[in-house]
Amino acid sequence: MKHLTRLAAAVLLGMVAVTMASCLGDDNEEYDSYFVKAEEYGQLLSQMEGNYQSKLYFYNEGITSGNKVDSAVVATRFVGEGDSTVTVSGIPASCLARLMKNEAAKAAVEQAGDQTITGKFYLYQHYEGRIVYVVIPQPLSINVNYGGADHQVVFAMAQANTIYGEFVSNRTLFDFRVYNIYVDEQLDTSFYYPTDVMSILRIRAWK
C-alpha cells in the first residue's frame, strides 16, 4: 500500500508539473525556481497547519434554478508534522449519496450522518506568496444496513488526476473527486474525472 501511495504521488506530481509548466511559461530556469526547496519545506508547512473555517461546494442536480451549485459548512484541518495530512469533517452524507445508482444503498447512506474525508498532502511549488500542493485522499467507507443485512459502501477518490490545491494569505482551495463507488465490492457508479462536474467536492477554507 505504501508503494502504491508513493507511485500515485509520483504520477500526480508529474501531471501537475505538466499543467503548471503550460501556465507559467517556457523558461525552465524560472519554472524550476518555483519548486519548494528542502530548507523551506518545514516553514511552509507551519504556515498551512491549523484548523480552518470551511465550505464545501458540490453540484446538485436537484436545484431547479441557477447554477446548481450547493454548499455546506464543514471543518478542515491541516497537520504538517510526520505524514502531512488534511482532514475535512462534517460532510453531509447526502452530498455523497446523490452520486449513487443503487437506490436501497443510496437511501441508507443518506441516513448515515456527517462523514470525514482524510488524505495526505505534499507541498509542490512556492511563488508570489502562493503555496501549491497536492492532495491524495483515502477512500471513504460507510457501513450501512438495509434489506435486513449489513452492507459496505466505498467512495474511491481520484488519485492520479487530482487537481493541485493552492494556499495564499491564510486561505486555501482544493478538490476531492469521487472516482468510483462500490457497494459490497461491486461497482455501483463510475465517473470520468476530471471533466465530470458531478464528482467534484470543492473545499474553500480560511483561518
Side-chain angles (χ1 to χ4, degrees), residues 107-178:
V109 170
E110 286 177 342
Q111 303 302 314
D114 291 345
Q115 300 297 313
T116 298
I117 297 176
T118 61
K120 297 184 182 301
F121 72 96
Y122 302 88
L123 305 190
Y124 179 62
Q125 290 187 330
H126 179 216
Y127 64 97
E128 298 178 354
R130 303 172 187 274
I131 302 172
V132 177
Y133 60 95
V134 176
V135 177
I136 301 181
Q138 299 174 359
L140 171 61
S141 178
I142 303 177
N143 295 318
V144 295
N145 184 284
Y146 60 88
D150 293 331
H151 302 272
Q152 183 184 57
V153 179
V154 176
F155 294 85
M157 302 294 168
Q159 298 283 308
N161 208 20
T162 304
I163 292 178
Y164 61 85
E166 185 176 86
F167 173 92
V168 58
S169 301
N170 287 330
R171 294 177 176 270
T172 189
L173 171 69
F174 63 95
D175 293 347
F176 294 127
R177 295 178 183 270
V178 178

Side-chain angles (χ1 to χ4, degrees), residues 178-189:
V178 178
Y179 181 29
N180 286 330
I181 303 173
Y182 300 90
V183 178
D184 297 331
E185 300 184 350
Q186 298 298 312
L187 182 64
D188 174 73
T189 310

